[in-house]
Amino acid sequence: MTILDGKALAQKMQAQMAKEVSQMAVKPALMVILVGDDPASAVYVRNKARVAEKIGIHSETLRLPETTTEAELLELITKYNADPSWHGILVQLPLPKHIDEGRVLHAIDPKKDVDGFHSYNMGRLMAGHPAMVPSTPAGIIEMLKAYDITLSGKHAVVVGRSNIVGKPMAMMLLAENATVTVAHSKTADLADLTRSADILVVAIGRAKFVTAEMVKPGAVVIDVGMDRDENGKLCGDVDFEDVKDVASLITPVPGGVGPMTITMLMQQTIKACREQVG
Ligand code: GUN
């Protein structure tokens, strides 16, 4: 079994990106908007700011109270859309329940949509002409390529159908000529299906859900989960200790998909800057 070291790959990419940014006449700038006080979101946002700084990307985090109205948030997005000093706008999810997430994500100018969550960008990806792309699945593809994993003709099973991970992941694997199955919480005989996967991507948000008997010997296992186990310790959707001897390659949590996600977000911000500055 080989561990797919997302942390090491992310650091290598970040060093390259820092060099690239140091040569840019206009520094990429990312506005991160955090509404409310979800503790996990606060950690994610802090990590994004830290990596941005390391690369030389200017970032600012706007922390808004839980009571912020949808109208107030939309007004801010309109303001940043029109301000050429911001190349990327990111609204951290989840949003408080009284705010319509779809309306907010669609208010972001698709050119500044570094998360790739606007329907314009999702549609481009689906049509095979990607523009801004979601960071988590993009980071997974980058990692699979860095480890020379053949995707063409392989059966890839994606467990999870979210707009953030599952759906765009399926589209990206399809674009790499994998045969893709998307499974989810209502899928019948899930273990039979996951056992047929050459590449298994798990993004369902349930701690240690995937066990050894759900994995084909020699499969590549990608764990998108960020969960807590029974002792409150950070773990993934895959039971790493159980699955590691069955899989040929596996991502750890932490140190697998997470660092790659942030790195790809920065890459999207650099791309957005280049396209807007021209
Ligand atoms: N919440 C969980 N993952 C993400 C992500 O990739 N982007 C944003 N904006 N919010 C998230």
Side-chain angles (χ1 to χ4, degrees):
M1 179 268 314
T2 302
I3 290 183
L4 289 164
D5 191 342
K7 191 172 170 191
L9 179 59
Q11 274 165 1
K12 191 171 128 201
M13 289 178 69
Q14 286 167 18
Q16 278 166 358
M17 285 154 65
K19 212 178 283 175
E20 185 186 344
V21 169
S22 73
Q23 286 158 7
M24 290 171 77
V26 176
K27 296 290 166 236
L30 173 65
M31 173 56 71
V32 177
I33 304 175
L34 173 62
V35 187
D37 28 46
D38 179 68
S41 289
V43 175
Y44 295 150
V45 161
R46 258 202 312 277
N47 286 339
K48 286 169 188 175
R50 187 175 47 79
V51 176
E53 189 183 346
K54 190 173 147 198
I55 296 174
I57 291 172
H58 173 60
S59 88
E60 210 170 288
T61 304
L62 186 64
R63 290 182 171 79
L64 301 173
E66 183 85 18
T67 51
T68 304
T69 65
E70 185 178 301
E72 285 166 339
L73 184 54
L74 292 174
E75 197 177 316
L76 282 164
I77 291 171
T78 305
K79 185 177 95 177
Y80 296 127
N81 278 343
D83 183 346
S85 58
W86 297 106
H87 309 108
I89 303 169
L90 181 151
V91 177
Q92 187 65 30
L93 303 177
L95 285 166
K97 285 192 181 36
H98 64 275
I99 298 178
D100 183 329
E101 185 178 294
R103 216 173 283 155
V104 169
L105 295 179
H106 286 129
I108 298 172
D109 182 336
K111 293 195 292 295
K112 299 191 178 189
D113 172 34
V114 286
D115 259 331
F117 295 162
H118 191 291
S119 296
Y120 173 82
N121 286 317
M122 301 265 271
R124 297 278 309 216
L125 177 62
M126 186 160 187
H129 304 288
M132 289 295 160
V133 292
S135 303
T136 301
I140 291 169
I141 294 286
E142 197 72 28
M143 193 157 43
L144 293 170
K145 287 187 173 171
Y147 279 85
D148 286 324
I149 294 160
T150 306
L151 297 172
S152 181
K154 295 296 174 67
H155 185 204
V157 174
V158 179
V159 187
R161 55 175 155 177
S162 69
N163 288 337
I164 295 180
V165 185
K167 285 188 220 169
M169 183 80 262
M171 290 303 133
M172 289 180 197
L173 288 164
L174 205 50
E176 298 294 334
N177 300 314
T179 302
V180 182
T181 306
V182 181
H184 47 81
S185 56
K186 302 283 194 295
T187 297
D189 305 321
L190 181 64
D192 279 348
L193 188 65
T194 57
R195 253 196 313 271
S196 72
D198 302 306
I199 319 279
L200 180 61
V201 180
V202 192
I204 46 166
R206 286 164 70 173
K208 299 185 182 177
F209 179 79
V210 171
T211 51
E213 53 283 3
M214 296 172 73
V215 177
K216 172 154 106 177
V220 175
V221 179
I222 307 291
D223 188 351
V224 186
M226 282 281 238
D227 315 305
R228 298 273 163 191
D229 69 9
E230 58 281 4
N231 303 316
K233 193 167 161 256
L234 185 65
C235 71
D237 291 349
V238 175
D239 187 337
F240 185 87
E241 285 307 314
D242 198 34
V243 171
K244 72 179 191 338
D245 298 322
V246 182
S248 61
L249 292 111
I250 185 167
T251 60
V253 177
V257 172
M260 288 302 293
T261 295
I262 300 188
T263 306
M264 299 310 284
L265 174 69
M266 299 307 146
Q267 197 178 75
Q268 295 288 304
T269 306
I270 295 170
K271 176 179 147 109
C273 174
R274 285 200 189 286
E275 286 171 5
Q276 285 161 57
V277 173

